[in-house]
Amino acid sequence: MRKEGRCLWVAGDETATIERLTETHDADGVLTGYSDEVTYRLADFVDLPAGPDEEADIEGLASGDGWLWAIGSHSLKRKRVKPEHPARKSRRRLATVVREENRYILVRLPLEEGPDGLPTPVRRAADGRTAAVLGGRGDSLADLLRDDPHIAPFLSIPSKDNGVDVEGLALHGDRLYVGFRGPVLRGWAAMVEVWPETDPYDEHRLRLRAVDGVRYRSHFLDLRGLGIRDLCPDGDDLLVLAGPSMSLSGPVRLFRWKDAVKCDAPEFVRDLLHVGDLPHGDGEDHAEGIAVVADRLLVVYDSPAAERHTPAGGMLADLLLLPREG
């Protein structure tokens, strides 16, 4: 989830789309929510590895400098066991691991002002900027990490088993921070820093540029045993939403990485500021996305509880005071 101006960008994990919502206010100008949903199909802007209809499991969004970025989970999926399944079918499903190629993408979309005055993604902007994608040609982030001593052993493990699972994305200048819900290594959450750029041979493709001789840098964050559920810039700081790497309910914590964008990130980040815990349900209400709205923190939830569903088909989020210190 990412807020930009009057708009809120969100993405679901069962489609290959991005949604734009717009602020609503009461008569006194107080923010009351986001509505007027507009859906954008990623396949209308870039070529997806598995075609337009297979889900991309978009788990991270970032924006800035006229761009909107989206990243898939880069994860394998183990079939879910359901209560109505007989034992034989349950055993078969539990042994079935699925790879869906659209999950292994990083997409960059140029934004232009639309007729409604709101930012609108386009395939080609008037200034020549183009939509582009990384992945599907042996060049995905997962492919880049296949020899990494920390991440590579988890590439063949499904996400909910502490396997690789991208769930956070943040932009600063020409670099992207990619946060992993899993794996968590002896209590350390993983993050990689990459520098994507337009492929000089295909303007609708991305490639990862090398900086100081490397195409990525890995960082490990002390989130008290939790994985990264979302990343959100707040000035020079980086807010880190942390939660369990596996199918567990809570704890959910918010950390502040002070001055994260001012310098090269250290390999091990030990001094994150724990600024508070977020509520969570039992099997429901799992904090999934965060965005800064003035001096408050907007939190949206995966598996929302029944009371979050509105009669009009909307969903209730939380708007909390945003702590600046612990």
Side-chain angles (χ1 to χ4, degrees):
M1 178 173 66
R2 193 62 69 234
K3 182 182 182 298
E4 184 173 353
R6 298 163 49 206
C7 294
L8 190 70
W9 297 101
V10 298
D13 59 3
E14 296 182 356
T15 69
T17 64
I18 294 174
E19 322 296 321
R20 189 192 70 190
L21 304 172
T22 306
E23 290 179 352
T24 58
H25 301 85
D26 63 17
D28 296 321
V30 176
L31 177 67
T32 57
Y34 292 87
S35 64
D36 297 332
E37 179 181 5
V38 180
T39 298
Y40 298 97
R41 298 169 69 249
L42 292 177
D44 291 338
F45 307 99
V46 297
D47 294 330
L48 299 181
D53 298 322
E54 183 179 295
E55 72 173 59
D57 196 24
I58 298 299
E59 293 284 1
L61 295 173
S63 64
D65 298 327
W67 299 102
L68 178 65
W69 296 82
I71 194 167
S73 63
H74 287 66
S75 67
L76 297 174
K77 181 171 66 175
R78 188 179 298 279
K79 289 286 188 178
R80 183 178 306 191
V81 174
K82 299 181 180 180
E84 66 270 18
H85 291 160
R88 179 178 295 181
K89 183 174 182 178
S90 295
R91 291 175 62 88
R92 186 169 64 250
R93 288 179 65 87
L94 200 58
T96 302
V97 175
V98 178
R99 178 185 172 105
E100 297 173 342
E101 292 303 320
N102 279 358
R103 290 171 170 243
Y104 293 81
I105 59 170
L106 171 67
V107 176
R108 184 197 66 189
L109 303 178
L111 297 175
E112 286 191 329
E113 184 176 308
D116 54 5
L118 298 175
T120 302
V122 295
R123 181 169 168 83
R124 176 186 292 276
D127 59 8
R129 293 175 300 134
T130 57
V133 61
L134 180 75
R137 298 183 181 177
D139 58 354
S140 71
L141 179 61
D143 293 307
L144 179 66
L145 296 171
R146 63 178 174 266
D147 295 321
D148 184 88
H150 301 100
I151 303 298
F154 296 88
L155 288 169
S156 61
I157 301 174
S159 59
K160 298 304 184 289
D161 301 345
N162 196 42
V164 166
D165 190 7
V166 170
E167 286 213 3
L169 190 67
L171 173 69
H172 177 64
D174 63 348
R175 62 184 167 181
L176 283 173
Y177 296 107
V178 180
F180 291 79
R181 179 181 178 181
V184 174
L185 306 176
R186 196 63 185 253
W188 291 91
M191 172 190 289
V192 297
E193 179 183 347
V194 294
W195 304 270
E197 64 180 5
T198 304
D199 188 322
Y201 302 104
D202 187 343
E203 63 182 4
H204 292 294
R205 298 287 304 178
L206 295 170
R207 69 177 185 181
L208 297 179
R209 177 168 55 92
V211 173
D212 297 330
V214 298
R215 294 171 64 203
Y216 72 95
R217 292 184 186 139
S218 56
H219 312 287
F220 300 96
L221 282 59
D222 181 4
L223 302 180
R224 306 187 184 184
L226 301 175
I228 296 170
R229 297 302 306 268
D230 198 13
L231 299 171
C232 181
D234 184 27
D236 291 329
D237 299 348
L238 193 61
L239 298 176
V240 183
L241 178 67
S245 65
M246 302 172 73
S247 296
L248 301 171
S249 294
V252 182
R253 292 175 174 147
L254 183 68
F255 293 88
R256 180 181 291 277
W257 183 356
K258 298 285 288 185
D259 296 327
V261 303
K262 280 190 172 182
C263 59
D264 288 339
E267 291 185 24
F268 287 86
V269 186
R270 295 179 168 88
D271 56 351
L272 289 106
L273 185 65
H274 176 210
V275 295
D277 291 352
L278 298 178
H280 64 85
D282 184 4
E284 60 186 18
D285 267 3
H286 300 144
E288 175 85 359
I290 55 175
V292 175
V293 181
D295 61 345
R296 296 182 180 268
L297 185 74
L298 181 67
V299 185
V300 296
Y301 294 84
D302 186 21
S303 303
E307 55 266 27
R308 290 192 180 274
H309 296 259
T310 69
M315 198 68 63
L316 296 177
D318 288 340
L319 194 59
L320 311 172
L321 285 175
L322 178 59
R324 301 294 177 182
E325 302 295 339

